[in-house]
Amino acid sequence: MLIEKRKDLRWADISAGRSINLALSDRGLAALAAVGLDDEARSIAIPMHGRMIHDRSGASRVSPYSGREEDYINSISRTELNALLLDAADRYDEVQIMFETDCTEIALSSVDSRQSTRLAERKCLTAKPKDQDPIQVSAEIIIGADGAGSPTRQAIEKLMGHDFKSDSHFLSSGYKELHIPPTVSGEWRIEKNVLHIWPRGSYMAIALPNLDGSFTVTLFWPMEGDNSFGAISTEAELDAFFRKEFPDLYTELPDLAEDYFNNPTGKLGTLKCAPWHYAGHACLIGDACHPIVPFYGQGMNAAFEDTLVFMECYDADKGDWATIFSEFYRRRKPDTDAIADLALDNFYEMQDHVDDPAFMAKRTLEMKMEQEIPSYYSKYGLVTFREDLPYREALRQGRLQDKILLDMCHGGKVPDGSLQDVYSKLQERLVSSL
Ligand SMILES: Cc1cc2nc3c(=O)[nH]c(=O)nc-3n(C[C@H](O)[C@H](O)[C@H](O)COP(=O)(O)OP(=O)(O)OC[C@H]3O[C@@H](n4cnc5c(N)ncnc54)[C@H](O)[C@@H]3O)c2cc1C
């Protein structure tokens, strides 16, 4: 049984909330392929081959994600993707879905309590369907795929007390969504097949294309301070700020003030916790156990990848839930910790360094290497296009490569010598760092 607080979005009117989109990449696609849904997902996605970087003068340039044509990411609507997954779930008779049902309490009883066996075996949810009385649902196991504020995680934490470790960190920046509508003929007003970025030091805006010709813009901005959400309270201030900082974006946002003042400001944070399971009774997955900041476009991809690892653990230890859960946690935790750290790296890189001369020279060098040396992947490529490589290894290799290449490109100059020489040096350093 799947209990979901929201409406069935396949039939709900979502126009008021404007669906946001996500970057779907190879790790997410690998998990979708395992259930035969990757082609369908691609058919409702828009390929984005690189970043289009817009400066304050309104000029722009494209920085491809890779020197290899086949390496690109995909913009996909959250609603359309959810609909695809729900349709697939509906094809299984054994999957029952209760929509608009809030899981208000998760009762996991302590296994080593001196209470009766009957109570110790209890795993029970209180579910409150909309406009109805709460019902009790008992379950053999509970999988908490219930997002960053996970009620399942809170139930485990309550039960385990100090044995449950949780460390959360919020950025001083938040986010808000804005909307670039399509042209009157339904076309994209700005380049369609890229992820647009307006980097401005301590803040930035990005835009991802939608199938209907629109773009969803996300403004990442400090919550307080000079240039911040807290500093704008009138339409005139908002207009003046956008005209100055994002001139070419401003002209594409006819509903700027309406969007800005009506849409919520979201918080951005990372949470690492341990363990992710309780005694073979309950287990967390996805954002419930590893919410991360969105700057690598990997939160959903990592959650999908979780399912692949979970199924491998399930296949190895069928029926023994305590072993399945603890193996899943043991295998996966170092990788989700790594992507959490990488996502924070990218927060700083996207805001600022994309405009830095050494960074730009490094990108030029890496592009050439990706074109000519099939086994070379940039840090971004290791994370995004190498679904065969665990995140922890992408982090180790990627950070070391970045450091070495940035040193070589100091002053914004691509180093002399052959690409093969540069690659050999990198390999030597990577091997010696093991
Ligand atoms: C601004 C932003 C941009 C992002 N961009 C990207 C991106 O480009 N690429 C990417 O890979 N990731 C991205 N992410 C991350 C991505 O959104 C999450 O990692 C992903 O949604 C996690 O999926 P999940 O199923 O674990 O949790 P969620 O998507 O949060 O789903 C949890 C579900 O649990 C339900 N639920 C919660 N509580 C209850 C309850 N009490 N009772 C019943 N149901 C309940 C919720 O209604 C929800 O449907 C972004 C995140 C943000 C904030």
Side-chain angles (χ1 to χ4, degrees):
M1 172 164 315
L2 174 62
I3 300 175
E4 170 54 55
K5 193 162 62 176
R6 295 187 190 137
K7 286 183 180 162
D8 185 343
L9 45 76
R10 290 169 295 181
W11 321 117
D13 173 16
I14 50 143
S15 57
R18 269 181 193 152
S19 65
I20 67 157
N21 46 26
L22 298 147
L24 171 68
S25 50
D26 291 19
R27 293 176 195 267
L29 282 164
L32 289 167
V35 287
L37 294 177
D38 54 329
D39 287 341
E40 267 185 90
R42 284 181 201 277
S43 74
I44 53 167
I46 299 179
M48 297 183 289
H49 295 277
R51 298 161 166 172
M52 181 173 265
I53 297 156
H54 301 253
D55 70 22
R56 276 195 180 85
S57 73
S60 58
R61 66 184 166 81
V62 174
S63 168
Y65 282 123
S66 157
R68 280 175 285 264
E69 268 180 32
E70 65 275 23
D71 292 346
Y72 58 86
I73 62 176
N74 304 278
S75 176
I76 193 162
S77 143
R78 196 183 276 272
T79 308
E80 297 281 333
L81 179 60
N82 268 303
L84 179 76
L85 296 172
L86 288 169
D87 282 347
D90 272 351
R91 293 199 275 272
Y92 294 87
D93 289 341
E94 57 272 46
V95 180
Q96 285 174 44
I97 310 181
M98 292 173 71
F99 289 103
E100 291 190 85
T101 302
D102 190 356
C103 194
T104 54
E105 199 192 337
I106 294 162
L108 302 167
S109 23
S110 172
V111 277
D112 57 3
S113 75
R114 289 189 199 89
Q115 296 172 334
S116 70
T117 314
R118 190 178 57 80
L119 270 180
E121 287 303 311
R122 200 179 71 159
K123 286 149 272 175
C124 175
L125 300 170
T126 306
K128 164 82 183 69
K130 189 171 176 236
D131 303 330
Q132 291 174 40
D133 290 334
I135 51 169
Q136 300 294 314
V137 182
S138 49
E140 186 190 345
I141 54 155
I142 293 168
I143 308 237
D146 42 5
S150 172
T152 316
R153 185 181 71 238
Q154 289 170 32
I156 295 177
E157 182 165 14
K158 194 167 154 199
L159 199 62
M160 293 186 72
H162 293 307
D163 292 333
F164 185 85
K165 308 285 177 231
S166 170
D167 178 21
S168 57
H169 168 72
F170 282 95
L171 293 183
S172 53
S173 294
Y175 73 95
K176 191 183 281 286
E177 282 164 22
L178 309 169
H179 184 71
I180 300 178
T183 63
V184 276
S185 55
E187 292 301 309
W188 292 265
R189 287 174 186 244
I190 52 177
E191 173 66 42
K192 173 187 170 193
N193 292 110
V194 292
L195 187 153
H196 295 265
I197 307 188
W198 290 262
R200 299 291 182 265
S202 61
Y203 52 92
M204 67 172 167
I206 65 168
L208 273 72
N210 295 311
L211 282 178
D212 66 358
S214 68
F215 285 82
T216 302
V217 177
T218 311
L219 180 61
F220 294 100
W221 217 1
M223 300 297 253
E224 300 295 337
D226 279 349
N227 288 319
S228 73
F229 288 116
I232 301 278
S233 52
T234 66
E235 205 171 319
E237 286 168 350
L238 182 68
D239 267 6
F241 179 81
F242 266 74
R243 273 176 198 275
K244 179 166 168 263
E245 296 294 325
F246 305 117
D248 57 333
L249 175 58
Y250 176 75
T251 54
E252 309 299 347
L253 293 169
D255 303 323
L256 171 62
E258 195 189 325
D259 285 349
Y260 185 89
F261 291 111
N262 290 335
N263 289 349
T265 307
K267 287 183 176 174
L268 296 168
T270 303
L271 182 139
K272 293 179 180 174
C273 67
W276 294 353
H277 58 98
Y278 180 73
H281 291 184
C283 186
L284 306 172
I285 196 163
D287 270 20
C289 45
H290 50 76
I292 61 177
V293 294
F295 301 106
Y296 239 109
Q298 284 293 314
M300 167 190 65
N301 288 286
F304 277 144
E305 198 174 64
D306 280 356
T307 63
L308 284 179
V309 179
F310 188 93
M311 287 314 295
E312 281 170 21
C313 298
Y314 176 81
D315 287 340
D317 285 289
K318 270 195 186 82
D320 176 0
W321 289 112
T323 309
I324 294 166
F325 294 166
S326 63
E327 268 302 287
F328 168 61
Y329 165 69
R330 187 189 65 76
R331 283 183 51 186
R332 193 66 180 143
K333 167 83 171 154
D335 290 322
T336 57
D337 282 353
I339 190 57
D341 296 343
L342 282 160
L344 280 168
D345 284 0
N346 227 27
F347 172 56
Y348 300 106
E349 189 172 307
M350 280 173 87
Q351 282 195 127
D352 223 355
H353 299 174
V354 279
D355 259 351
D356 178 89
F359 181 88
M360 279 155 61
K362 176 172 89 68
R363 258 327 282 147
T364 307
L365 177 63
E366 289 193 294
M367 283 275 301
K368 287 189 187 148
M369 285 170 58
E370 283 168 339
Q371 278 159 358
E372 291 185 24
I373 303 172
S375 50
Y376 181 74
Y377 284 81
S378 66
K379 181 171 85 175
Y380 185 87
L382 293 169
V383 172
T384 310
F385 307 122
R386 286 286 305 275
E387 73 280 8
D388 58 315
L389 195 73
Y391 283 128
R392 73 190 94 163
E393 187 51 24
L395 177 139
R396 187 188 78 81
Q397 283 189 33
R399 279 190 177 167
L400 190 60
Q401 268 176 207
D402 270 6
K403 189 176 171 325
I404 299 167
L405 292 178
L406 277 171
D407 280 351
M408 286 182 183
C409 296
H410 184 72
K413 190 173 167 297
V414 176
D416 299 330
S418 77
L419 293 175
Q420 197 56 54
D421 284 349
V422 175
Y423 181 64
S424 303
K425 266 189 209 142
L426 278 178
Q427 292 310 302
E428 272 167 35
R429 292 279 296 277
L430 284 171
V431 171
S432 65
S433 74
L434 277 171

